[in-house]
Amino acid sequence: MLLQNALTYVQDFKEKTLTCMPATPPLSFEKSSAPLVEKTTTETKFPGTGTPFTLKYDKLVIAVGAYSQTFNVPGVKEHAHFLKDVRDARSIRTRILECFEQANQPILSDVQRRNLLHFCIVGGGPTGVEFAAELHDLLHAEIAQHYPVLARMAKITLYDVAPHILGTFDRSLSNYAEEKFRRDGIDIKTMHHDKMLVKEQGEVPFGILVWSTGLAPNPLVRSIRSIEKHEKTESLLTDEHLNVIMQDGHVDQDVWAIGDAAIIKTAVLPATAQVANQKAIYLSKKLNKIVREKEHTQPFEFYNQGSLAYLGDWKAIYDRSGAESGIKAREKGRVAWLLWRSAYFTMTLSLRNKILVPTYW
């Protein structure tokens, strides 16, 4: 069973029991809402949802992911946009269009318009960089057609506390990305410590703030006490078969943890979609063999396919220089862009999408 619309807040791994709270409005036959829970795994506009229920399980996979890391900076949760799911993407799109509609009003001065059209991105990793690149393409293509005067007033600023953006990439590729962004007019502010007030700049007006600064543990993962956790990230620790390691040191053969919620104790891997995808494929094969009562003793092995980042204007960077085996390559420009497009094309599932996606490109 996939618990997509329920909040799990009590776990009993010895009895193989989960106590869950629906994350949907109460059903018509429910006389009253359930009592509020202090720590839930998701935000909902329905403060008291339906009746709690208990589930027994035979096998359990913990794949709840992680939240965006805010470092407890005041105002971020209330005023920033994040890049985690489809709702975030829709919210960002709506706000960008709203900024141009507001800036188009005749009662505003040019200074007020520039403040509204200042798009700030916090986080110089691949996610923040790709968003800056896609936003730059949007401003100079579709937005420029509909708001030609306002598009020239728009400004993108990328903030990061590190000395360079894309710190996980080879330094030469990082420098290439920084140089391209500067040529495109994207302002890069490294070694900056961001709040709603930036220490190095003072108050910074903006129309939209997009926050992409890493991962924070999911409240459900944080609430689990019986499983070992990584000291720094608080992610659940697993063995090489992705089974969780309990506090007493024994491995629970009926519970697995994958994705951003877990880390292999003997091989700490980056918290990327590539790692999560390979873990999911491995575990699905393992569970299918368990159902058929076949042995599956092969441990999980990560195959590093390299890192890609889109930089805008049909240019990208590709880095596989840190791979332990295979070809160690670095690419930039159009060749890397073709690799980037090819990677996403191969991940489209249906024939319909394989036709539609290149058409949109």
Side-chain angles (χ1 to χ4, degrees), residues 141-158:
E142 286 80 8
I143 295 295
Q145 292 177 5
H146 296 283
Y147 304 95
V149 177
L150 294 178
R152 291 194 290 270
M153 293 184 179
K155 179 184 178 183
I156 302 172
T157 304
L158 182 63

Side-chain angles (χ1 to χ4, degrees), residues 51-341:
T51 307
F53 59 91
T54 302
L55 276 180
K56 287 278 191 179
Y57 67 84
D58 296 311
K59 309 292 181 184
L60 177 66
V61 179
I62 302 173
V64 294
Y67 280 13
S68 297
Q69 179 64 269
T70 65
F71 303 102
N72 297 318
V73 175
V76 171
K77 288 184 179 179
E78 295 80 11
H79 302 286
H81 294 259
F82 299 97
L83 288 164
K84 289 294 292 180
D85 54 36
V86 175
R87 286 178 300 177
D88 294 331
R90 289 173 177 163
S91 175
I92 290 170
R93 180 185 63 181
T94 301
R95 179 55 190 159
I96 290 172
L97 296 176
E98 192 177 66
C99 285
F100 279 94
E101 287 294 330
Q102 290 175 333
N104 203 33
Q105 295 179 18
I107 59 174
L108 270 63
S109 67
D110 282 352
V111 172
Q112 290 172 315
R113 289 189 176 98
R114 285 190 171 89
N115 289 343
L116 263 175
L117 299 178
H118 184 202
F119 303 111
C120 294
I121 303 159
V122 180
T127 304
V129 166
E130 286 200 346
F131 176 76
E134 294 283 7
L135 180 58
H136 176 268
D137 286 354
L138 176 68
L139 295 178
H140 289 77
E142 286 80 8
I143 295 295
Q145 292 177 5
H146 296 283
Y147 304 95
V149 177
L150 294 178
R152 291 194 290 270
M153 293 184 179
K155 179 184 178 183
I156 302 172
T157 304
L158 182 63
Y159 292 92
D160 199 85
V161 296
H164 298 275
I165 62 172
L166 298 172
T168 57
F169 282 72
D170 183 82
R171 182 63 179 276
S172 63
L173 297 176
S174 173
N175 290 340
Y176 172 81
E178 290 179 0
E179 290 171 9
K180 185 189 182 305
F181 272 15
R182 290 192 178 100
R183 288 196 304 270
D184 291 340
I186 298 174
D187 199 7
I188 300 174
K189 302 286 187 183
T190 53
M191 301 293 288
H192 274 58
H193 301 75
D194 298 284
K195 296 188 177 180
M196 303 314 290
L197 292 174
V198 181
K199 289 181 180 178
E200 291 81 356
Q201 286 183 275
E203 185 175 344
V204 178
F206 59 83
I208 185 171
L209 173 67
V210 176
W211 194 274
S212 176
T213 57
L215 303 175
N218 187 298
L220 171 62
V221 172
R222 188 172 280 165
S223 70
I224 296 174
R225 297 282 180 263
S226 54
I227 298 176
E228 278 192 35
K229 297 180 185 178
H230 190 271
E231 289 183 2
K232 185 178 179 181
T233 64
E234 295 187 56
S235 301
L236 304 177
L237 291 180
T238 71
D239 66 359
E240 63 274 12
H241 296 275
L242 309 186
N243 292 103
V244 297
I245 303 172
M246 309 306 287
Q247 285 288 357
D248 58 10
H250 91 275
V251 175
D252 193 326
Q253 299 295 332
D254 295 322
V255 181
W256 295 267
I258 60 174
D260 294 334
I263 289 177
I264 299 175
K265 189 173 184 177
T266 56
V268 178
L269 299 171
T272 62
Q274 183 181 161
V275 175
N277 182 61
Q278 290 188 31
K279 283 185 176 181
I281 292 172
Y282 165 85
L283 188 54
S284 65
K285 292 178 179 179
K286 188 181 190 75
L287 290 173
N288 283 328
K289 288 194 174 183
I290 290 173
V291 169
R292 296 181 177 89
E293 297 183 351
K294 295 181 179 179
E295 286 192 8
H296 191 282
T297 57
Q298 184 178 352
F300 171 76
E301 289 185 16
F302 172 62
Y303 174 69
N304 187 350
Q305 296 173 326
S307 301
L308 285 159
Y310 178 60
L311 303 179
D313 299 325
W314 294 11
K315 291 182 175 65
I317 54 175
Y318 170 71
D319 186 15
R320 199 177 182 273
S321 57
E324 294 181 0
S325 60
I327 300 173
K328 298 185 179 183
R330 289 189 296 269
E331 293 291 346
K332 58 188 178 184
R334 289 289 173 87
V335 174
W337 176 81
L338 288 171
L339 289 170
W340 180 76
R341 285 295 202 206

